[in-house]
């Protein structure tokens, strides 16, 4: 009798967004006004260097790491200025309620305009190296965390047990780095929460906590050599 497994080998999962067979949707929310920097226009357009803005660098890092991904940018405040900087390869979705709703509304609109059930969320006010994203889609729903003090004390923290995130809250030493990957059950639960418009003034971390309470799970990921910072003020650009 022929051994049916004779010519089979296990296939290493390289992660979504890295092959045509495993596409990825990426949402970058940049709709907010960023009150502390409002007079400078959209924060995502601040220059990182002479060639690139914050948003340019985010998109470049995503494209280099996940060549088989659709990138969706959610615009709002001074939308036309942001749109003019984007290539035709980027899907643009406008959030008309950016003044009154939270970022959850931007994510809802992004999900509704995406074509995949594997979702990477990258906040639009981050400066980071491409290595931050390298393995986040390889091991199921995951959160990039920071234990090295790269984020301010007042940012959202996480508790981690056996490499799994168990809670999001203020006042915790380990921080969530504002990059999240969701697939499977966690994506479905998060999507359902986003679609409930009574949640559109909540924050994503609050919805993540609900996902955890309802049985979902998120692996914590802290890439080696991660270099990342959130831009809240012009001083942050100079650090």
């Amino acid at each position: 009798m022929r051994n049916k497994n004779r010519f089979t080998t296990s296939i290493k999962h390289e992660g979504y967004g890295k092959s045509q067979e495993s596409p990825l949707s990426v949402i970058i929310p940049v709709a907010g006004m960023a009150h502390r920097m409002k007079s400078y226009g959209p924060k995502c357009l601040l220059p990182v260097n002479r060639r690139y803005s914050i948003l340019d660098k985010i998109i470049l890092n995503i494209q280099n790491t996940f060549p088989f991904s659709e990138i969706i940018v959610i615009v709002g405040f001074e939308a036309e200025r942001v749109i003019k900087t984007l290539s035709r390869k980027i899907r643009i979705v406008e959030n008309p309620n950016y003044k009154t709703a939270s970022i959850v509304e931007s994510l809802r609109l992004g999900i509704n305009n995406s074509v995949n059930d594997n979702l990477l969320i990258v906040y639009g006010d981050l400066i980071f190296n491409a290595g931050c994203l390298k393995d986040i889609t390889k091991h199921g729903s995951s959160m990039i965390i920071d234990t090295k003090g790269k984020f301010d004390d007042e940012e959202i923290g996480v508790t981690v047990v056996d490499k799994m995130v168990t809670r999001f809250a203020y006042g915790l030493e380990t921080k969530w780095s504002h990059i999240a990957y969701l697939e499977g059950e966690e994506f479905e639960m998060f999507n359902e929460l986003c679609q409930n418009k009574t949640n559109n003034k909540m924050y994503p971390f609050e919805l993540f906590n609900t996902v955890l309470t309802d049985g979902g799970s998120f692996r914590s990921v802290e890439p080696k050599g991660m270099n990342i910072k959130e831009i809240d003020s012009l001083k942050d650009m100079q650090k």
Side-chain angles (χ1 to χ4, degrees):
M1 181 176 179
R2 181 180 294 178
N3 182 353
K4 294 182 179 180
N5 295 324
R6 181 179 176 186
F7 298 108
T8 63
T9 58
S10 60
I11 300 174
K12 185 178 180 182
H13 181 41
E14 295 295 334
Y16 288 94
K18 297 188 177 183
S19 71
Q20 194 169 4
E21 293 74 28
S22 302
L24 173 70
S25 292
V26 184
I27 295 177
I28 309 171
V30 298
M33 287 188 289
H35 294 286
R36 280 183 280 180
M37 302 178 73
K38 185 177 178 181
S39 61
Y40 294 93
K43 183 165 50 171
C44 65
L45 297 186
L46 289 173
V48 174
N49 53 41
R50 292 184 179 181
R51 292 186 62 189
Y52 299 117
S53 69
I54 294 174
L55 183 56
D56 290 334
K57 284 295 289 182
I58 291 173
I59 291 172
L60 186 62
N61 283 338
I62 291 169
Q63 290 174 330
N64 287 341
T65 309
F66 304 113
F68 295 93
S69 63
E70 60 162 353
I71 300 176
I72 304 168
V73 174
I74 314 299
V75 299
F77 173 58
E78 296 194 11
E80 289 302 321
R81 284 188 61 188
V82 179
I83 292 170
K84 287 179 181 178
T85 71
L86 298 173
S87 76
R88 293 183 179 181
K89 295 180 180 180
I90 305 302
R91 185 170 298 173
I92 300 166
V93 177
E94 186 167 5
N95 177 2
N97 299 314
Y98 69 90
K99 290 183 179 180
T100 57
S102 79
I103 196 172
V104 166
E105 176 65 5
S106 288
L107 297 179
R108 181 186 74 82
L109 292 169
I111 292 171
N112 288 349
N113 285 276
S114 66
V115 298
N116 303 302
D117 291 340
N118 306 294
L119 174 64
L120 179 65
I121 299 168
V122 181
Y123 278 30
D125 58 356
L126 299 174
I127 296 176
F128 56 89
N129 58 339
C132 287
L133 301 177
K134 183 180 177 182
D135 294 327
I136 192 172
T137 68
K138 288 180 66 172
H139 305 293
S141 298
S142 303
M143 299 284 167
I144 292 183
I145 65 166
D146 165 44
T147 63
K148 305 293 194 303
K150 297 181 184 296
F151 283 75
D152 292 339
D153 291 341
E154 64 268 21
E155 296 297 334
I156 297 298
V158 294
T159 55
V160 177
V161 178
D162 295 330
K163 297 185 179 181
M164 303 301 292
V165 174
T166 60
R167 184 169 66 101
F168 293 77
Y170 289 105
L172 300 174
E173 187 174 350
T174 298
K175 302 300 180 183
W176 173 47
S177 294
H178 298 168
I179 299 176
Y181 171 67
L182 297 92
E183 64 175 55
E185 184 180 22
E186 291 77 26
F187 172 82
E188 296 297 333
M189 288 191 286
F190 184 75
N191 181 25
E192 184 176 348
L193 290 167
C194 287
Q195 299 306 322
N196 183 344
K197 289 195 174 183
T198 62
N199 293 332
N200 73 1
K201 291 189 178 180
M202 298 177 69
Y203 292 98
F205 80 90
E206 296 176 289
L207 302 191
F208 294 150
N209 275 337
T210 301
V211 171
L212 290 171
T213 299
D214 291 346
S217 61
F218 300 111
R219 179 179 293 272
S220 66
V221 178
E222 187 170 21
K224 292 181 179 179
M226 179 174 74
N227 188 5
I228 187 170
K229 64 180 176 179
E230 181 188 20
I231 303 301
D232 280 328
S233 67
L234 289 178
K235 288 183 179 179
D236 293 332
M237 298 292 295
Q238 299 165 358
K239 291 180 181 179

